Amino acid sequence: MQKIAELVDWENNLQEMIAYVELLGELDLTEDDVKRIGVLIARLVRSSSQATALQVLKTACSTTLAAYLVAKGVYGYREGNYWESIAEEIGWNTGTIQQLGLLFEDFLRDHALPTFPGGSQHGLRYVSVVLLHGGIPNYCLNDFFEKFLQPVLSDSDYSGLSERDIVTTWLHSPAKNAVDKPVPRFLEYGGKIALDFVARCLEMGRYFNDQPLASTSETLGLPKRVIEAYRAWARGRTQARLAEKVHLARPEIILDPWGSGLLAELPAQTLPSSFDEHEGNWMIQADQHRVEIPLRLRWHGKGMNTDLCQVELSHPAKAYTITFAGGPSRKRTWQFRGMTPELPLMAFEPDSGELVQFLDTLPARRLWLLYPLKQQPRIEGGQKCEEFPGFSGAWAGYTADEWDLSQASSVTIGKTTLPVEVDAASLLPYLVGNEVQGLLRTVGQPVLFAGPPPTIYIPLTPQRKAELEAVRWHIVIRDNEKHVVCSKSIVDIPYLVEKDALKVFLSDSSLLDRSVFGSFEISLRGPLGRDTTFSISIVPALDIRMRDRDVIRFPDTTGIYTSPQITIITSPDVTLESNDPEIQIRFQQQGHYLVTVPAEYVQAECTLRSLTSAAPRPISCTIALPVLHWAIIE
């Protein structure tokens, strides 16, 4: 036992640290640490048989071994020689040493750490997962900063995009081919973990552009080696001009299982008054088929809005590309995977019908599955919940079902098998509060709550205690001027444990206040893969009442719609306004307003302004005024 005493010391220390990470690369071992562990493992190998050494590593030093394998990839991996470098360091032949890969897989499963089943199917089975747990190796970091991070920060093509859209756009660009392979591999197969890593790196880059980078690993949530490498890379460089953000809402591919098949949902966009309406359109490309949809514009305050519309996708395709063209500086393209011969399957969210952009695994939850009639999927452990009626036209050869994959292990269709893995979305924080109903959210518009601020629920993982989970979370609240209201660790504020979740009250005086007015960005940084940001607005009171005949309006016998009237009740110290001169607002009594909207409107845009709050900006809200259009088709 004396021979492995130092290894056991490492094991005890690393076992404490591993409770706080999702990726083993977050343990932040230094290069000297890795060398020391390598020497200790080599000493163990020399002093016993390989079988005995393997058994000791498995039973007494599994955490140390796993951390060592990942750190070797971080500091020493070069394409093609991963196992050779380890074999040379610890004195095993490469044939025997790959047994360590099996131990590594067992360790991940035993500790409920990510196994990246999609990534392991693309490359060497063990090496791919080991490298994904290291994130981006040291030798690739400068490439990552130069060819990914800096362009994203400074190129207007990426401005206003979510992390998911940034990664998708970059992976479909020629820049992907000019970067060391571990970078695109991590971004492509790292899932939500990779997206959170990108978001934190973007935050690091913005800090450096605003001021000298003094942020620590704790505040940024990144390994020290990444921060130090960025600091060294950026030293002496001129600060990049951050791209001006142009917020464009993402289109979606949706499934109408009771209708004609797939639809492209083209969301409303908000554009400046300088926009040339003759320049703008939507373009949808389905393999070789292309359609252009002109924009329908209407004035909104100081700019213009486009109308939301849905377009049937009449051609099954391997891929769909949707482009919004609003002039040279406002062009965005979104890529969507379709039905390929290798994988003739598409998945959709049951609640919204939106396409699930999966890669090589499916989430363990309810999904709508669309596939060819002649290729029925085999789903191990899944339960079919509903069969939808058949489609017509080009989609007549396809069918859709609703499946519960929560207990499924795999989905096989044709020659392709997709593992089913734990649904990461089930562990993301969420808000519970009095969300105001009947409102439309345009791009960049927060969710509006009335009354006290909502409560944050952070789901607990079954492997960790509540106190340990709380240590892993940090909350930052910014107002609508991007000023930090507070920045705290969850353990430093009052919280409760309820229904397998941490319950954090935003109404607590250390965060916001029960009667607060204003718009806020709530950022929660936790384990990689679970970071969440909420954009919310809060008013002390808001009640929107519509007449029954205005809830969904029908035309009269002449085809004319009536003008809707809305009663809005808010607190006495809040006033209701509108920038649209066609919307009439009549003050009835303190906090009570009657709003009359032109008959042709399908939404009414208003603003709420506090008479007592220090909030510098009013809160915008858009009230939905749905109408029913119908026609008889032979």
Side-chain angles (χ1 to χ4, degrees), residues 157 161 246-251 266-272 275-277 279-285 291 293-297 304-307 309 321-336:
D157 285 347
L161 297 185
V246 179
H247 292 286
L248 291 176
R250 175 187 175 84
L266 310 178
Q269 308 287 3
T270 300
L271 303 167
F275 176 75
D276 185 348
E277 60 183 292
E279 290 184 329
N281 62 8
W282 287 99
M283 291 177 288
I284 302 175
Q285 187 89 25
V291 61
I293 301 98
L295 301 180
R296 296 177 58 186
L297 299 168
M304 289 182 284
N305 274 358
T306 68
D307 282 344
C309 66
T321 301
I322 301 180
T323 301
F324 178 85
S329 63
R330 295 183 185 87
K331 186 174 182 179
R332 294 284 185 277
T333 297
W334 294 266
Q335 304 281 345
F336 300 89

Side-chain angles (χ1 to χ4, degrees), residues 94-325:
T94 55
T96 304
I97 206 168
Q98 290 197 40
Q99 295 181 52
L100 300 180
L102 282 171
L103 297 185
F104 185 78
E105 283 190 344
D106 291 341
F107 178 85
L108 296 182
R109 284 192 291 268
D110 292 344
H111 291 78
L113 293 170
T115 57
F116 303 109
S120 63
Q121 295 177 10
H122 293 262
L124 299 174
R125 173 180 169 183
Y126 305 124
V127 174
S128 296
V129 180
V130 169
L131 295 180
L132 284 169
H133 257 277
I136 297 178
N138 266 19
Y139 87 97
C140 302
L141 283 174
N142 282 356
D143 238 16
F144 172 72
F145 301 146
E146 185 77 38
K147 298 169 184 174
F148 177 87
L149 190 62
Q150 194 65 13
V152 168
L153 286 169
S154 58
D155 191 334
S156 61
D157 285 347
Y158 294 99
S159 62
L161 297 185
S162 67
E163 285 79 21
R164 180 179 69 166
D165 287 338
I166 286 171
V167 170
T168 302
T169 300
W170 186 85
L171 287 174
H172 285 86
S173 73
K176 171 188 174 182
N177 302 319
V179 180
D180 290 321
K181 289 181 181 178
V183 174
R185 178 172 53 217
F186 178 65
L187 296 182
E188 187 166 0
Y189 299 111
K192 181 67 166 58
I193 286 175
L195 296 184
D196 285 357
F197 177 83
V198 166
R200 296 179 187 188
C201 286
L202 290 171
E203 183 180 3
M204 175 177 66
R206 294 187 184 105
Y207 271 138
F208 187 83
N209 279 279
D210 291 339
Q211 58 191 0
L213 186 62
S215 298
T216 64
S217 175
E218 289 74 20
T219 58
L220 287 173
L222 290 168
K224 293 177 183 177
R225 66 178 181 89
V226 175
I227 297 174
E228 290 170 358
Y230 185 78
R231 190 181 281 121
W233 174 83
R235 188 178 293 120
R237 289 176 173 268
T238 56
Q239 294 186 0
R241 178 185 62 83
L242 296 183
E244 179 186 356
K245 288 194 174 183
V246 179
H247 292 286
L248 291 176
R250 175 187 175 84
E252 296 291 348
I253 302 292
I254 62 175
L255 174 65
D256 178 7
W258 300 279
S260 55
L262 290 192
L263 303 169
E265 184 170 88
L266 310 178
Q269 308 287 3
T270 300
L271 303 167
S273 57
S274 58
F275 176 75
D276 185 348
E277 60 183 292
H278 302 294
E279 290 184 329
N281 62 8
W282 287 99
M283 291 177 288
I284 302 175
Q285 187 89 25
D287 290 345
Q288 305 305 315
H289 302 278
R290 177 175 173 173
V291 61
E292 295 189 8
I293 301 98
L295 301 180
R296 296 177 58 186
L297 299 168
R298 52 189 175 79
W299 283 98
H300 161 66
K302 297 181 180 179
M304 289 182 284
N305 274 358
T306 68
D307 282 344
L308 179 148
C309 66
Q310 292 182 342
V311 179
E312 288 188 11
L313 297 175
S314 55
H315 300 281
K318 297 178 182 177
Y320 298 94
T321 301
I322 301 180
T323 301
F324 178 85

Side-chain angles (χ1 to χ4, degrees), residues 289-591:
H289 302 278
R290 177 175 173 173
V291 61
E292 295 189 8
I293 301 98
L295 301 180
R296 296 177 58 186
L297 299 168
R298 52 189 175 79
W299 283 98
H300 161 66
K302 297 181 180 179
M304 289 182 284
N305 274 358
T306 68
D307 282 344
L308 179 148
C309 66
Q310 292 182 342
V311 179
E312 288 188 11
L313 297 175
S314 55
H315 300 281
K318 297 178 182 177
Y320 298 94
T321 301
I322 301 180
T323 301
F324 178 85
S329 63
R330 295 183 185 87
K331 186 174 182 179
R332 294 284 185 277
T333 297
W334 294 266
Q335 304 281 345
F336 300 89
R337 184 194 160 279
M339 197 85 65
T340 64
E342 298 78 21
L343 186 53
L345 180 74
M346 299 175 75
F348 301 84
E349 299 286 3
D351 293 336
S352 63
E354 293 178 359
L355 177 68
V356 176
Q357 292 275 66
F358 65 89
L359 288 170
D360 296 285
T361 65
L362 285 168
R365 63 173 186 265
R366 282 181 179 255
L367 293 173
W368 290 347
L369 300 181
L370 175 69
Y371 53 89
L373 278 168
K374 297 180 180 179
Q375 291 183 279
Q376 296 285 327
R378 301 190 307 278
I379 302 179
E380 296 293 333
Q383 181 178 358
K384 184 185 288 188
C385 304
E386 185 174 359
E387 293 184 7
F388 297 117
F391 299 113
S392 59
W395 293 97
Y398 297 82
T399 188
D401 307 318
E402 180 173 331
W403 282 83
D404 183 357
L405 303 183
S406 57
Q407 303 300 318
S409 59
S410 64
V411 175
T412 300
I413 185 164
K415 297 181 179 180
T416 301
T417 297
L418 298 171
V420 176
E421 60 179 346
V422 175
D423 180 19
S426 65
L427 296 176
L428 294 179
Y430 57 93
L431 296 178
V432 175
N434 183 26
E435 180 179 344
V436 179
Q437 301 301 309
L439 299 180
L440 290 176
R441 285 189 67 203
T442 58
V443 60
Q445 195 166 27
V447 178
L448 182 58
F449 291 89
T455 299
I456 300 172
Y457 284 78
I458 303 175
L460 293 171
T461 56
Q463 295 79 25
R464 294 183 175 91
K465 296 180 180 179
E467 311 81 57
L468 188 58
E469 190 74 17
V471 175
R472 296 168 14 124
W473 287 92
H474 191 91
I475 183 171
V476 178
I477 302 178
R478 293 181 173 87
D479 62 18
N480 53 15
E481 297 289 333
K482 299 301 181 183
H483 298 142
V484 175
V485 176
C486 71
S487 176
K488 295 177 178 290
S489 174
I490 295 299
V491 292
D492 296 330
I493 56 179
Y495 69 88
L496 296 177
V497 180
E498 182 180 301
K499 296 180 180 178
D500 298 323
L502 300 178
K503 190 175 179 182
V504 181
F505 299 93
L506 287 174
S507 57
D508 187 85
S509 58
S510 65
L511 298 177
L512 295 175
D513 187 75
R514 288 189 60 83
S515 58
V516 69
F517 177 98
S519 298
F520 304 92
E521 181 183 89
I522 317 292
S523 296
L524 286 161
R525 198 194 69 234
L528 277 172
R530 296 174 63 191
D531 288 2
T532 306
T533 297
F534 302 106
S535 181
I536 66 172
S537 294
I538 307 169
V539 294
L542 185 63
D543 185 15
I544 300 173
R545 301 177 184 177
M546 302 179 68
R547 300 177 300 185
D548 290 343
R549 65 185 183 186
D550 291 333
V551 174
I552 297 181
R553 290 176 293 144
F554 296 83
D556 61 21
T557 55
T558 64
I560 302 299
Y561 290 91
T562 58
S563 295
Q565 288 189 342
I566 310 160
T567 299
I568 296 181
I569 303 172
T570 183
S571 54
D573 57 352
V574 173
T575 62
L576 182 71
E577 305 168 353
S578 178
N579 293 324
D580 189 335
E582 300 299 320
I583 296 178
Q584 300 177 12
I585 299 178
R586 284 190 293 170
F587 175 83
Q588 294 186 306
Q589 64 183 60
Q590 205 73 17

